[in-house]
Amino acid sequence: MNSTPSDTAAILIEALPYIQRYAGKTIVVKYGGNAMTEPALQQSFARDIVLLKQVGINPVVVHGGGPQINSYLSQLNIESRFIDGMRVTNSETMDVVQMVLGGLVNKQIVSLINQAGGRAIGLTGKDGNMIKARKLLLERKALDNQPSEIIDLGHVGEITSIDASVVRMLEEDRYIPVIAPIGVGEDGASYNINADIVAGKLAQVLNAEKLLLLTNTPGVLNKQGQLMPELSRDDINNLIADGTIHGGMLPKLTCATDALAAGARSACIIDGRLAHAVLLELLTDTGVGTLVTP
C-alpha cells in the first residue's frame, strides 16, 4: 500500500524528538552480519548513516569482516582455525586480515557512504596509534584440579588503550569515521581484535549517547524464541546464569554492559537483516531490537 502525504508527514514528526535528542551526540555503530554482505542492506545502511550525519548526529562505524576473511584465506589455501570462537591468527593470516579488513572491506563501506552523499574516511586502529593492543592469551580451565591451559592465538589482541582524538577531529569536520578493528602493539605488531569489543570501547571513550550492535537475530531472545525489547544489567546477569544468553550473544552483551558502566547512555542489539534498521531503532517510537539500559 502506498503512503499518503499525511503518512509521510507523520513519520517525519515522529522522528523529530529523536533528532533533537541525538543532535550533536555520538552514536557508535558496529556493522556486521547480513547487513554487510547483501547489496540492498548495504545500500540502506549507507543511507541511514548519511541521513544521521545530515541531521546533526555523529555516527562512528566499526566493522567486522569474518566471512570476507574466510573467503580470501580459502582462495590462498590457508586454513581457518578457531578456538572458542576466536580465529587463530599467525603472521600469514594476519597479513590477509589486514588486507581484507583495513583495505577491501573498509574501503567498500567508505565508498558506499560516499556514494550515498556522505563524507566517510576509513581508518584502522593503527592510524595515529588509535587502538593500542597486546597479545590476548586464552585461558582454558582444566578438569580434575589440573593447571589451566594458556593458549596462544597468535596475532589476536586485547585493547590496552584507545586515543580517539582523530575520531573527534573527523566528527567536528563533518566526516564519518569508518574503523577496522586492527590494533597495534608497543613493538609495532598488528593485532586482530573482536569488532564488538572495539565498538564497545570506542563508545566508552567517546562518551557515546548510544551503542548499536547489528546482528543476524531480532535482538536478545528468551527461551521461547521471543524478543526481549529491554534488559537491564541485572536482567542480563540472570539470563546468563540460567543459560538463556549464550554463544555469540555473550560478547555483544558484555561489551554493551561495559560501555554503559563506563558512561555510554544506552546500547541496543538490533537486527541487521532489516532494511534501515539503524533509522528504525534511533528515530521511531517502537525501535527494532533489544535495548540495554543501566
Side-chain angles (χ1 to χ4, degrees):
M1 186 175 66
N2 293 328
S3 62
T4 67
S6 294
D7 293 333
T8 303
I11 292 168
L12 294 172
I13 292 299
E14 181 180 336
L16 177 60
Y18 298 102
I19 293 172
Q20 292 171 325
R21 172 183 171 184
Y22 295 125
K25 304 293 178 60
T26 295
I27 307 292
V28 176
V29 184
K30 189 271 178 168
Y31 180 44
N34 284 54
M36 267 188 82
T37 56
E38 295 184 11
L41 293 175
Q42 291 173 341
Q43 296 286 345
S44 75
F45 175 82
R47 291 183 184 128
D48 287 1
I49 295 300
V50 172
L51 190 148
L52 293 180
K53 192 68 175 181
Q54 192 64 41
V55 298
I57 302 167
N58 293 319
V60 175
V61 178
V62 178
H63 65 84
Q68 294 92 332
I69 293 170
N70 289 341
S71 175
Y72 272 83
L73 288 173
S74 177
Q75 291 177 43
L76 295 169
N77 293 316
I78 300 173
E79 180 187 5
S80 291
R81 291 180 54 226
F82 293 86
I83 297 176
D84 292 351
M86 288 182 278
R87 185 187 301 276
V88 178
T89 310
N90 59 20
S91 295
E92 189 178 29
T93 302
M94 190 65 218
D95 288 343
V96 175
V97 168
Q98 290 196 91
M99 177 185 74
V100 175
L101 285 185
L104 180 68
V105 174
N106 188 271
K107 300 317 171 192
Q108 283 178 341
I109 299 167
V110 167
S111 180
L112 282 165
I113 293 173
N114 290 344
Q115 287 172 12
R119 295 202 303 167
I121 289 186
L123 303 166
T124 76
K126 297 180 72 172
D127 292 307
N129 279 336
M130 177 170 53
I131 301 175
K132 291 189 176 178
R134 64 181 170 227
K135 181 190 289 285
L136 173 65
L137 295 175
L138 180 65
E139 182 177 357
R140 179 178 281 176
K141 300 291 185 182
L143 301 175
D144 302 325
N145 297 318
Q146 295 298 312
S148 297
E149 181 184 5
I150 302 300
I151 300 172
D152 186 346
L153 297 167
H155 289 263
V156 175
E158 60 181 347
I159 297 169
T160 57
S161 66
I162 293 183
D163 178 359
S165 55
V166 66
V167 176
R168 293 191 179 96
M169 179 182 69
L170 292 171
E171 283 185 327
E172 290 168 4
D173 207 19
R174 296 202 53 76
Y175 287 98
I176 299 168
V178 177
I179 300 166
I182 299 169
V184 60
E186 292 294 334
D187 59 354
S190 300
Y191 290 100
N192 182 19
I193 306 173
N194 180 285
D196 291 327
I197 293 172
V198 171
K201 293 291 186 183
L202 264 174
Q204 295 176 32
V205 172
L206 293 168
N207 197 25
E209 186 68 19
K210 200 160 196 172
L211 168 66
L212 297 181
L213 300 169
L214 274 67
T215 186
N216 284 345
T217 70
V220 183
L221 307 180
N222 63 21
K223 288 185 176 179
Q224 290 72 45
Q226 299 165 327
L227 176 68
M228 291 182 281
E230 186 169 334
L231 294 173
S232 68
R233 280 183 286 178
D234 287 342
D235 293 333
I236 290 167
N237 290 335
N238 293 333
L239 292 167
I240 291 172
D242 72 11
T244 301
I245 295 173
H246 60 277
M249 191 58 72
L250 277 171
K252 294 183 188 302
L253 287 169
T254 298
C255 78
T257 53
D258 287 348
L260 292 174
R265 303 293 185 270
S266 65
C268 197
I269 314 292
I270 66 174
D271 193 345
R273 301 169 301 177
L274 182 64
H276 299 294
V278 171
L279 291 188
L280 291 169
E281 172 55 36
L282 287 176
L283 304 183
T284 69
D285 294 336
T286 53
V288 293
T290 298
L291 179 67
V292 182
T293 65

